[in-house]
Amino acid sequence: MDVFTFIDSTASLIKPFILCAEAGFKDVSYKGLFQNIREIGILGEKEMFISTKGVNTHKGALFILGILCAAIARCLYENKSFNDISNIIKLMTKGICENELESLDINNKKTLTHGERIYLKNNVKGIREEAEKGFPIIFNHSLKAFNDFSYNSMNDRLVYTLIVIMQYCVDTNIIFRNGIDCLSIIQNKAKNIISCYDFSKQSYKNAVDDLNIYLLENKISPGGSADILSATVFINEIKTKILGDGK
């Protein structure tokens, strides 16, 4: 996997995101809308794997951003406000954990995804639970964090917002690769940094550097948090440029 793999993967997902948005403008039920975009997502995954020669680069991002594209489009279709997006997502994804996780057959291991295996082993519902709750990490935490420091450089804003997300995100990418105990360590490190942050102090910068070194040395990839960060930037653009800031 390299930067070119990511570029190819990103390009392959443009059409699925457009289709998810178009699906939101159709007169179907919320659950019907979710089912429609799940089918689009399956096709999107196939295109991604073709472009990356089998490497999973954006499966999580496709799930999150696909839901957001559909929910935002439905919000526009129904002439609702930005603050209604989270509730639309809840209506779309209601019952997803029960339907897709709680009824899993533990003996059917060959067809299980990483997220499903993690649920069976650790009782962690991951991004499905986050979606069913309307993405509270985005709407209650990361969006505010990203905007609270708009006067700082984009890099500083993104790093700070990522660490805010890492406090709360039940990152199944970390759990799958490094175990559930590692997730707790990363969440606590992120909380400690945020509890005493100050962009102007060298101690904050040192703490961020230390976290980065720890992740690299232990080969820990907070991919789930990164997906939510990208979704945060996207939803912020929607709020300020399409639905109106504060509408």
Side-chain angles (χ1 to χ4, degrees), residues 32-217:
L33 171 58
F34 184 63
Q35 182 58 45
N36 289 342
I37 66 171
R38 289 308 292 271
E39 294 174 4
I40 294 170
I42 291 171
L43 295 176
E45 284 183 16
K46 291 180 180 179
E47 291 297 318
M48 177 193 71
F49 284 126
I50 291 172
S51 68
T52 63
K53 296 180 175 59
V55 178
N56 174 20
T57 52
H58 289 97
K59 189 173 180 178
L62 175 60
F63 178 80
I64 298 171
L65 291 171
I67 291 174
L68 286 173
C69 285
I72 291 164
R74 176 51 65 93
C75 185
L76 292 168
Y77 180 74
E78 296 180 345
N79 196 30
K80 293 185 176 180
S81 73
F82 177 86
N83 293 330
D84 291 309
I85 296 174
S86 182
N87 191 52
I88 289 173
I89 294 170
K90 291 177 186 178
L91 294 170
M92 288 171 57
T93 60
K94 184 178 180 180
I96 183 176
C97 290
E98 179 180 359
N99 296 333
E100 297 187 8
L101 293 178
E102 295 172 16
S103 59
L104 281 173
D105 181 2
I106 193 169
N107 296 313
N108 192 20
K109 293 183 179 180
K110 290 186 178 180
T111 61
L112 296 178
T113 66
H114 291 338
E116 291 167 345
R117 291 178 187 277
I118 289 170
Y119 170 73
L120 291 173
K121 181 178 180 180
N122 303 107
N123 196 32
V124 169
K125 298 177 182 179
I127 196 60
R128 287 180 176 86
E129 184 173 39
E130 182 68 15
E132 195 167 18
K133 292 180 178 179
F135 293 123
I137 293 178
I138 297 174
F139 291 98
N140 296 341
H141 301 290
S142 62
L143 192 59
K144 181 179 183 301
F146 185 69
N147 283 293
D148 277 350
F149 301 98
S150 58
Y151 50 84
N152 285 91
S153 71
M154 180 57 73
N155 185 72
D156 283 344
R157 292 173 68 191
L158 291 172
V159 169
Y160 174 76
T161 305
L162 177 62
I163 296 173
V164 168
I165 293 168
M166 289 167 66
Q167 293 182 95
Y168 305 104
C169 182
V170 182
D171 198 320
T172 52
N173 195 54
I174 292 177
I175 296 174
F176 179 75
R177 295 172 182 271
N178 306 93
I180 191 75
D181 292 337
C182 180
L183 174 65
S184 297
I185 292 171
I186 297 303
Q187 287 178 326
N188 288 330
K189 285 181 177 292
K191 289 175 183 177
N192 290 336
I193 292 174
I194 296 304
S195 67
C196 58
Y197 76 89
D198 186 336
F199 285 110
S200 64
K201 290 185 177 181
Q202 188 62 40
S203 58
Y204 168 78
K205 297 176 183 178
N206 291 341
V208 173
D209 288 341
D210 288 344
L211 174 60
N212 187 45
I213 292 171
Y214 184 85
L215 294 172
L216 290 171
E217 289 182 345

Side-chain angles (χ1 to χ4, degrees), residues 16-26 37 40 66 69-70 73-74:
F17 289 145
I18 293 173
L19 292 175
C20 285
E22 289 178 346
F25 280 99
K26 295 180 180 179
I37 66 171
I40 294 170
C69 285
R74 176 51 65 93

